[in-house]
Amino acid sequence: MKVEKRLSGSGAKMRGPAPAPGRTSAIKNMFHKDGTWAFLLLLPNIIGFLAFTLIPVIASFFLSFTSWDMLSPMKWVGLSNYVELLNDETFIKVFWNTIYFAGISVPAGIVVSLFLAVALDQNIRFKKFYRAAYFLPVVSSMVAVAVVWQFIYNPEYGLLNYFLSFIGITGPNWLTSTVWAMPAVILTTIWKNLGFNMLIFLAGLQGISDSYYEAADIDGARWHHKFLLITVPLLSPTTFFVTVMSFIGSFQVFDTVFLMTQGGPARSTSVIVHYLYENAFKYFNMGYASAMAYILFFMVFVITLIQFWRQKKWGVN
Amino acid sequence: MKKFRMLFIVLLCLLVTAACSSGGTNGNTANSGNNSGNASGDVVTLKFMGWEASPLETEAVKKGLEKFMQQNPDIKVDYQPVPGAQYAQKLLTMLAGNAAPDVFFLGATEYRSFQNRGVLLDLTTMFESQMSLDEFIPSSAQIMEINGKIYGVSSCTVSPVLYYNKDVFDKANIPYPPSDPANAWTWDEFREAAKQLTVTEGDKIAQYGAFGFENFYMTTAEIFSNGGQLFNEDGTQMKINSPQAQEVLQSILDLRVVDGTSPTAKTLESIGMRANQMLQTGKVAMVVDGSWALQELATMGFPVGVAALPKFEDAKTHGQAHVHSASANTKHPEEAWKLLQFLSSEEYQIGLISEGLWMPNRKSLYTEEGIQKWYNESVHPEGFRELVSFFENAEPYPFTLITQNKVNDIITEETDKLWYSGQSVADTLANIESRSNVELAK
């Protein structure tokens, strides 16, 4: 405030005794309204959001009722894209693949990262190092991760089958097996995202007051009592957030699949977004691909609604 | 507080003006190029887009364009290489946004589907005034011609061939596979050699006999060799479900699952080994791969041999390569044609051919005299001269003659089931045929 006063004072001096009062104050007012400022500063982002998110989202909704290859004129086809999708064997297959992928990777990923977070919340040596180590895959490039894991899954030279051979198991040919390719992709995804979920859980754990644990200690509670009766319930807002984000992320999975298996073998790892990509950019069926995008949107929407409803039931705020 | 606000505003303004001004200058240069070309006929700027298949190819394209600009001082070519994987998408988006390059590479398998959408300049009149389809080898000519018209000029040709490591053969004391297609190994001879060249150490296989046929690009050549077909004459229906194709798929599968002479694709590929490294390291004695691989193989410091593919009935391969096309909306069709003509000229092709990356698409380069122009002893192995008829008489690659590229993915999906999860050959071919016909009927 002091600075402002001095500035305006010196300004008045410079301009002389009779400044144009109306105009200055209008400009002044504009700059004083925080709303205008906020809007101005957000403008680049808003333009980006409109141009690259909102408008395409609306446009693709209309596209989903058309047949369009980007070059020929658009044809209005009503609901026929959606009808065709429901009868498209490949779509049904990739739909179930997506459910399979999300259904395993989300719960497994959450359980593992929760245990990891609890473990790294204890007073152990080098815990900062471990936290960093588990977080490293999150910031690594997916391309690099895919290359390394392809090596790990190699049937003859790979680490995984090498370790399995110690316990007398002959590992499968992971990425070329229609049965094992999906679990392999899921495992890689869990490993890649572990650190992110762990970090959020760690933040949640710091928010739980030590006094609960102290009280439990006095009452003679064992560690699993403390975990199940204090940690888990008090973490539920965090768990809720992680679950919603993981589900959305796993329904939209693309890069892992595209880089590791290209959806193969025999489409056993092809997911909705992968098939959508193929339809849009390989077969040039923009309308069909848009319809798929809206089905995916609807799936994510329903899952999120269910979670919000459950959240109310759990009494989480 | 206010100082900071001012700072922000100033920064914001700077950013905005910087963005605008750079956009503006770009627009201006583009405009001035076009204007001067139209008004005074001084210099026309052609935008030319291609992909980066290999550093050598990009280098050769740039060198070629310099030569072209020297010969045509009134044309300036602005070359834009794009990563190969996103090429078709990028081109499509540019065409849809009316920002297409004047001249561009186009994959032979995309040529017909782009032409279908009316975005390619009809070159027929210009082509016929200076060239003739008869100059081209049959596979290239057939790919270029769509209902009697020409919308793209073939760049070269490439075909699957059999590569082998001579050291491995010498060690096993087995004669090399013949280069001359007339003496090509029969499938049984090939299978026998692959067995002899497979070496086990303990319970692991240290050296495989052969690799590559499970890739459908290669499989296709063997189906032709057995007298089979993929599609009917006009490409409207799939005709793959035949005893000939069945025999081929079964024979290829047997190499791996019965004889154990061939590794699965992922075994070597997922440890970062490409076909040429498999050969170089002696992990595999014989590899089927595209003829373009010779360029790299020739520099890898081991004695590489090239032979005709093993035959069922006749020794056969297929050929294709990208075409050069112009946009239907180009403002400079004549200049674009001059560039297209240059890109298809002997003078431009020969450099890439003698490096081993391309094979010629002109009949004139397959005569004794013609071969002399590009044959390069340091690249083309002994016996290569006998192999050239293999390329000259190649069948057109069938996927260049259809417009539904979904068929390719259906084949990959169904053959995956055959190679990796025990679907029978009969079911595989029946599924491919029935599912593809649904797509082809669309």
Side-chain angles (χ1 to χ4, degrees):
Chain A
M1 285 313 277
K2 258 184 190 165
V3 182
E4 247 168 64
K5 237 180 205 165
R6 206 190 60 211
L7 272 176
S8 55
S10 66
K13 227 183 222 166
M14 274 161 71
R15 267 191 234 103
R23 223 179 135 183
T24 0
S25 65
I27 293 169
K28 224 175 175 181
N29 275 343
M30 196 183 93
F31 284 147
H32 274 269
K33 272 183 195 151
D34 282 340
T36 319
W37 268 102
F39 180 74
L40 266 177
L41 291 173
L42 284 172
L43 197 60
N45 217 335
I46 290 174
I47 293 173
F49 173 74
L50 286 177
F52 298 114
T53 309
L54 190 64
I55 294 172
V57 162
I58 296 169
S60 69
F61 181 68
F62 284 102
L63 277 180
S64 74
F65 300 104
T66 63
S67 164
W68 188 45
D69 64 6
M70 290 177 82
L71 299 174
S72 325
M74 227 178 266
K75 248 191 311 184
W76 186 265
V77 293
L79 281 172
S80 76
N81 280 333
Y82 290 93
V83 175
E84 201 184 326
L85 269 177
L86 297 179
N87 295 313
D88 180 346
E89 268 177 48
T90 311
F91 181 72
I92 290 165
K93 176 152 199 184
V94 299
F95 175 86
W96 287 114
N97 282 346
T98 311
I99 302 274
Y100 177 18
F101 179 88
I104 304 286
S105 72
V106 174
I110 287 175
V111 169
V112 177
S113 54
L114 176 60
F115 276 101
L116 210 58
V118 172
L120 292 182
D121 198 36
Q122 314 297 317
N123 266 326
I124 50 167
R125 282 159 71 95
F126 308 122
K127 71 175 175 191
K128 282 198 172 145
F129 168 77
Y130 285 123
R131 286 179 187 180
Y134 282 109
F135 196 70
L136 207 58
V138 179
V139 289
S140 328
S141 142
M142 191 59 228
V143 180
V145 168
V147 170
V148 170
W149 278 87
Q150 280 182 324
F151 204 110
I152 291 175
Y153 288 133
N154 187 292
E156 277 185 36
Y157 311 97
L159 272 179
L160 185 58
N161 282 0
Y162 180 66
F163 287 135
L164 285 177
S165 70
F166 287 148
I167 49 171
I169 297 173
T170 312
N173 194 343
W174 294 92
L175 293 174
T176 54
S177 153
T178 44
V179 177
W180 290 106
M182 189 56 121
V185 171
I186 290 175
L187 186 63
T188 308
T189 312
I190 293 176
W191 177 83
K192 171 99 166 76
N193 296 332
L194 204 56
F196 182 75
N197 290 345
M198 177 197 75
L199 201 72
I200 306 217
F201 275 126
L202 272 174
L205 287 172
Q206 325 261 280
I208 300 176
S209 163
D210 282 341
S211 54
Y212 295 115
Y213 294 106
E214 281 160 19
D217 281 335
I218 292 166
D219 289 345
R222 306 285 293 273
W223 70 269
H224 58 271
H225 290 134
K226 286 192 276 182
F227 177 73
L228 287 175
L229 297 173
I230 302 173
T231 314
V232 172
L234 287 175
L235 261 186
S236 51
T238 314
T239 316
F240 172 71
F241 173 76
V242 170
T243 314
V244 173
M245 296 313 284
S246 305
F247 261 113
I248 295 176
S250 62
F251 274 130
Q252 295 176 345
V253 64
F254 174 73
D255 47 1
T256 326
V257 164
F258 190 68
L259 290 164
M260 288 185 68
T261 61
Q262 290 86 45
R267 281 212 182 273
S268 60
T269 57
S270 180
V271 287
I272 295 183
V273 182
H274 178 249
Y275 189 47
L276 188 158
Y277 161 84
E278 285 188 323
N279 270 283
F281 296 108
K282 269 173 91 178
Y283 319 141
F284 308 136
N285 294 329
M286 289 295 160
Y288 199 55
S290 299
M292 234 177 273
Y294 269 86
I295 290 190
L296 183 66
F297 166 76
F298 189 70
M299 284 166 67
V300 173
F301 189 65
V302 168
I303 291 271
T304 313
L305 275 187
I306 292 175
Q307 281 165 344
F308 267 96
W309 171 68
R310 293 291 302 177
Q311 181 199 22
K312 265 189 201 142
K313 257 192 128 178
W314 286 336
V316 177
N317 19 334
Chain B
M1 280 305 281
K2 201 162 184 185
K3 253 188 186 163
F4 280 114
R5 283 179 175 176
M6 276 321 278
L7 194 68
F8 267 125
I9 268 285
V10 168
L11 273 176
L12 202 67
C13 292
L14 274 177
L15 273 175
V16 171
T17 43
C20 289
S21 62
S22 66
T25 37
N26 276 346
N28 284 340
T29 41
N31 281 341
S32 63
N34 284 342
N35 287 343
S36 62
N38 288 340
S40 57
D42 279 350
V43 174
V44 168
T45 304
L46 284 181
K47 278 194 199 154
F48 176 41
M49 192 163 95
W51 58 72
E52 302 216 34
S54 76
L56 175 91
E57 199 168 358
T58 307
E59 209 39 55
V61 171
K62 284 187 180 151
K63 248 189 262 166
L65 290 176
E66 263 166 41
K67 212 184 254 177
F68 173 76
M69 287 189 270
Q70 275 168 16
Q71 292 166 6
N72 298 277
D74 54 336
I75 304 177
K76 185 174 169 291
V77 183
D78 178 9
Y79 180 58
Q80 250 188 304
V82 167
Q86 297 130 35
Y87 185 82
Q89 285 171 42
K90 167 119 183 163
L91 180 59
L92 186 80
T93 319
M94 289 172 96
L95 285 162
N98 252 338
D102 300 282
V103 179
F104 43 85
F105 286 28
L106 189 55
T109 46
E110 271 111 41
Y111 174 50
R112 274 172 172 68
S113 71
F114 274 75
Q115 192 277 324
N116 244 356
R117 295 177 165 91
V119 291
L120 304 183
L121 185 69
D122 184 350
L123 307 169
T124 318
T125 339
M126 294 181 275
F127 180 85
E128 278 170 357
S129 70
Q130 273 145 349
M131 292 182 208
S132 147
L133 276 178
D134 293 336
E135 296 167 25
F136 291 84
I137 60 172
S139 57
S140 296
Q142 232 176 306
I143 290 171
M144 281 158 69
E145 189 201 327
I146 305 176
N147 301 325
K149 296 201 164 184
I150 309 287
Y151 301 88
V153 187
S154 160
S155 59
C156 63
T157 190
V158 289
S159 304
V161 288
L162 185 70
Y163 294 101
Y164 56 95
N165 185 331
K166 288 182 176 169
D167 280 347
V168 172
F169 273 74
D170 291 343
K171 215 189 281 172
N173 209 6
I174 293 173
Y176 301 145
S179 308
D180 186 351
N183 305 323
W185 270 352
T186 63
W187 186 265
D188 291 333
E189 285 171 314
F190 167 75
R191 184 178 178 180
E192 221 24 68
K195 276 186 200 167
Q196 288 175 34
L197 289 161
T198 302
V199 179
T200 40
E201 269 171 21
D203 56 348
K204 288 222 164 178
I205 294 178
Q207 177 185 303
Y208 287 99
F211 174 74
F213 278 116
E214 289 182 16
N215 180 336
F216 207 76
Y217 178 73
M218 321 296 172
T219 314
T220 304
E222 292 299 334
I223 293 178
F224 283 146
S225 161
N226 204 18
Q229 283 300 322
L230 262 61
F231 303 101
N232 64 355
E233 279 295 307
D234 54 358
T236 50
Q237 266 197 325
M238 195 107 206
K239 287 273 181 227
I240 199 176
N241 195 2
S242 60
Q244 289 91 336
Q246 281 191 17
E247 187 189 355
V248 169
L249 290 190
Q250 191 63 56
S251 307
I252 292 172
L253 184 65
D254 287 351
L255 281 184
R256 180 162 55 84
V257 297
V258 177
D259 301 353
T261 55
S262 182
T264 67
K266 283 280 175 185
T267 309
L268 298 172
E269 278 169 4
S270 68
I271 57 169
M273 245 193 204
R274 287 181 300 137
N276 46 21
Q277 286 151 327
M278 298 177 198
L279 268 185
Q280 183 193 30
T281 55
K283 269 270 158 215
V284 182
M286 297 179 276
V287 165
V288 208
D289 202 356
S291 52
W292 61 82
L294 185 59
Q295 182 232 323
E296 216 177 315
L297 283 167
T299 63
M300 288 175 77
F302 71 98
V304 63
V306 190
L309 296 174
K311 65 177 178 188
F312 283 84
E313 290 287 320
D314 307 305
K316 268 205 180 142
T317 191
H318 55 70
Q320 57 89 31
H322 70 271
V323 299
H324 295 117
S325 289
S327 160
N329 291 330
T330 177
K331 292 197 180 87
H332 314 290
E334 275 160 42
E335 287 82 1
W337 170 248
K338 271 191 192 165
L339 179 58
L340 289 172
Q341 210 185 336
F342 175 80
L343 293 171
S344 126
S345 64
E346 266 188 18
E347 118 179 74
Y348 176 72
Q349 270 187 38
I350 279 176
L352 287 152
I353 298 170
S354 48
E355 294 284 352
L357 193 66
W358 290 5
M359 281 301 289
N361 60 8
R362 300 300 168 91
K363 286 179 183 163
S364 62
L365 289 175
Y366 284 96
T367 59
E368 270 305 312
E369 205 181 321
I371 293 173
Q372 217 54 52
K373 291 186 188 165
W374 55 263
Y375 190 83
N376 179 353
E377 269 179 20
S378 62
V379 171
H380 299 107
E382 207 187 320
F384 197 83
R385 279 168 204 270
E386 292 158 22
L387 184 68
V388 297
S389 65
F390 206 43
F391 298 96
E392 191 181 2
N393 302 324
E395 298 277 327
Y397 183 53
F399 295 96
T400 59
L401 304 177
I402 60 166
T403 53
Q404 288 287 353
N405 43 11
K406 199 170 178 181
V407 171
N408 224 323
D409 286 341
I410 291 174
I411 292 175
T412 309
E413 189 183 333
E414 293 296 334
T415 51
D416 271 357
K417 289 184 198 161
L418 167 68
W419 307 134
Y420 305 123
S421 65
Q423 178 169 266
S424 73
V425 169
D427 287 352
T428 304
L429 290 172
N431 288 350
I432 291 176
E433 191 164 299
S434 61
R435 290 182 60 193
S436 301
N437 280 339
V438 173
E439 289 304 319
L440 289 169
K442 274 182 189 167

